[in-house]
Amino acid sequence: MLGQFSLGLAISSPIYMLTNLQLQPIFVTDKTYSYSFNDYLKMRGLSTITALLIIFILAISSGYKDYTLVTIFIISIVKAIDSISDLIYGLFIKNFKMKFMSISLILKGALSIILISLGLLYSKNIILIVSMLLISSLIVLVIYDIPRIKYFEELSKNKNKKNYFSLIKLGVPMGIGMLLISLNTNIPKYFIEKYLGIETLGYFSAISYIMVAGSMVINAIGQSTSPRLSEFCVNKNYIDFKKLINKLLFFGFLIGFIGLITVMIFGRDILEIMYNNEYKKYYFLFILLMVNGLVGYLASLFGFAMTSARIFNSQPVLFGIVILITTSFCFFLVNRWDIYGIAVSMIIGTSVQLLGSSLIIYSVLRKLKKNVQTN
């Protein structure tokens, strides 16, 4: 059952990352209102239909049948519903109504837990379980998310009439960038599965999942500050733009550093409590992954700053370089240092991402400073 669910996510997630075109951050940082919210919503609808068609064709042509095929279809529909909610969250973020997004996520999480628990009590059927997930997402979208759009009616009006092709041109680099990020995250897992075995991959994946808590905090901070960063950039406000970035980096480093120190002191106990005694032998791996997490938190915050400054075309180039470096080091180090070589490769790749994104933001700051000095 878990394998079929993981397969459904593995097939649908990368496709949605590409076709979603990162319209949410593009909308949030669009301070000139080049397009109305309705324009973005229509584009998201078209991209979602495209994603569904691609997934359906891919799943059928790959030979999946029966329960597996139906599971993939249902998960792809869940992702479609969530992609609409994602854009509506952008509306909340742009208007600094994070409360609406928080309530929506809490409702969705609570409802999905209740319905899935009921489904598991009734049957272990995977189709029933993913159907419960679909129902919970659909209920929150229809009952809570969509009705909240009326509070922001001014954003549904057309202000600067442009064609959708230019919006696609804006989104494609971001979509490719997100696809590359997804690939970069999974490349180490491919090497572990091939060279070290599925059991080792299980240990690695379980320990890596602990980093998700920090990533969620970083994403929340990045999303909530993106509108303000974008406003500072549009208004050529060099001082406030720089101050806010420095604050973000400080909090990102603080979160990562506290996490690293905690792991170094209590890492073995954490692994034993969360999993079992077998995981304690991967204590050093836990430390390396936390180091990668710290570097990754800073790189992610620079990524939010790049998007806020509407630097889209440079991102897929940067992530392409990161993938190339990560893959190369994984290839050379996996046979030398086993799973620890994979972790080191991740740190190197993430460090390159941090360096590249910081250089891009440095160039933005130079332009803003030059503009201030000129005026």
Side-chain angles (χ1 to χ4, degrees):
M1 183 169 71
L2 184 59
Q4 291 171 321
F5 182 80
S6 299
L7 178 64
L9 287 176
I11 291 174
S12 60
S13 294
I15 293 172
Y16 273 102
M17 283 185 177
L18 176 63
T19 58
N20 275 351
L21 304 177
Q22 285 293 281
L23 292 180
Q24 190 221 73
I26 293 175
F27 169 67
V28 169
T29 58
D30 182 9
K31 290 299 179 181
T32 60
Y33 296 97
S34 302
Y35 303 90
S36 70
F37 176 71
N38 280 345
D39 291 333
Y40 285 95
L41 195 58
K42 289 173 186 175
M43 182 56 66
R44 176 53 59 88
L46 290 172
S47 66
T48 299
I49 292 171
T50 302
L52 284 170
L53 290 174
I54 293 172
I55 294 168
F56 287 177
I57 293 170
L58 184 62
I60 293 171
S61 62
S62 298
Y64 296 115
K65 295 178 181 179
D66 303 329
Y67 279 72
T68 302
L69 184 63
V70 175
T71 300
I72 294 171
F73 285 174
I74 295 175
I75 289 175
S76 65
I77 296 172
V78 173
K79 299 288 287 184
I81 295 170
D82 289 343
S83 70
I84 302 299
S85 290
D86 172 72
L87 190 61
I88 297 175
Y89 292 162
L91 190 62
F92 300 158
I93 294 169
K94 187 164 187 167
N95 289 272
F96 302 100
K97 297 293 183 181
M98 302 296 290
K99 179 180 73 174
F100 289 167
M101 186 174 77
S102 299
I103 292 173
S104 175
L105 291 171
I106 291 170
L107 287 174
K108 191 181 296 184
L111 190 57
S112 62
I113 289 172
I114 293 170
L115 292 178
I116 289 173
S117 298
L118 291 173
L120 286 170
L121 286 173
Y122 178 77
S123 171
K124 302 293 183 181
N125 188 306
I126 181 63
I127 294 178
L128 176 63
I129 302 306
V130 292
S131 295
M132 294 296 102
L133 196 61
L134 187 154
I135 291 170
S136 61
S137 292
L138 184 61
I139 287 175
V140 175
L141 174 66
V142 174
I143 301 299
Y144 187 84
D145 294 344
I146 292 177
R148 295 297 170 292
I149 297 177
K150 67 182 180 182
Y151 293 108
F152 316 100
E153 288 181 355
E154 72 280 359
L155 290 176
S156 66
K157 299 174 183 177
N158 283 315
K159 301 197 175 182
N160 297 310
K161 196 71 175 179
K162 294 185 178 181
N163 60 58
Y164 290 118
F165 182 71
S166 57
L167 183 55
I168 294 173
K169 283 176 65 178
L170 274 179
V172 166
M174 294 290 288
I176 294 173
M178 286 304 298
L179 178 61
L180 292 175
I181 289 174
S182 175
L183 288 174
N184 190 58
T185 302
N186 287 297
I187 281 171
K189 296 178 183 178
Y190 300 149
F191 275 92
I192 293 172
E193 193 275 332
K194 182 176 180 179
Y195 290 97
L196 304 176
I198 194 71
E199 183 179 346
T200 305
L201 177 60
Y203 285 112
F204 178 86
S205 299
I207 296 172
S208 299
Y209 195 73
I210 300 174
M211 309 300 124
V212 171
S215 298
M216 290 177 68
V217 175
I218 294 298
N219 286 334
I221 293 172
Q223 286 185 334
S224 61
T225 54
S226 288
R228 210 166 293 282
L229 277 172
S230 180
E231 185 176 337
F232 293 151
C233 197
V234 169
N235 295 329
K236 314 295 184 186
N237 193 334
Y238 164 76
I239 295 174
D240 288 335
F241 187 82
K242 183 180 178 180
K243 279 184 180 179
L244 186 51
I245 288 178
N246 287 336
K247 286 180 181 178
L248 290 175
L249 294 175
F250 172 76
F251 282 117
F253 177 81
L254 189 63
I255 292 168
F257 183 73
I258 291 173
L260 179 59
I261 296 300
T262 302
V263 168
M264 292 177 71
I265 298 173
F266 304 108
R268 290 185 178 88
D269 296 326
I270 293 171
L271 291 174
E272 185 176 10
I273 292 170
M274 292 193 66
Y275 301 111
N276 57 50
N277 193 54
E278 283 292 312
Y279 281 82
K280 290 171 70 175
K281 63 185 178 182
Y282 291 107
Y283 165 69
F284 186 60
L285 173 65
F286 196 7
I287 292 176
L288 289 176
L289 290 177
M290 196 62 238
V291 171
N292 184 63
L294 192 159
V295 179
Y297 297 159
L298 298 177
S300 294
L301 291 170
F302 271 121
F304 281 109
M306 284 193 293
T307 302
S308 298
R310 298 184 73 77
I311 299 172
F312 303 141
N313 293 333
S314 300
Q315 293 194 40
V317 177
L318 173 60
F319 295 134
I321 294 171
V322 170
I323 282 182
L324 182 62
I325 291 173
T326 302
T327 304
S328 299
F329 276 94
C330 282
F331 181 79
F332 287 114
L333 295 181
V334 68
N335 289 321
R336 285 185 171 87
W337 299 338
D338 294 330
I339 196 169
Y340 304 104
I342 297 295
V344 171
S345 301
M346 292 171 63
I347 294 171
I348 294 170
T350 308
S351 298
V352 172
Q353 180 184 343
L354 174 59
L355 176 62
S357 55
S358 63
L359 289 174
I360 292 171
I361 291 302
Y362 176 71
S363 69
V364 173
L365 288 170
R366 283 187 63 186
K367 290 178 181 177
L368 290 175
K369 186 176 182 180
K370 186 177 179 180
N371 184 271
V372 172
Q373 291 173 343
T374 303
N375 295 331

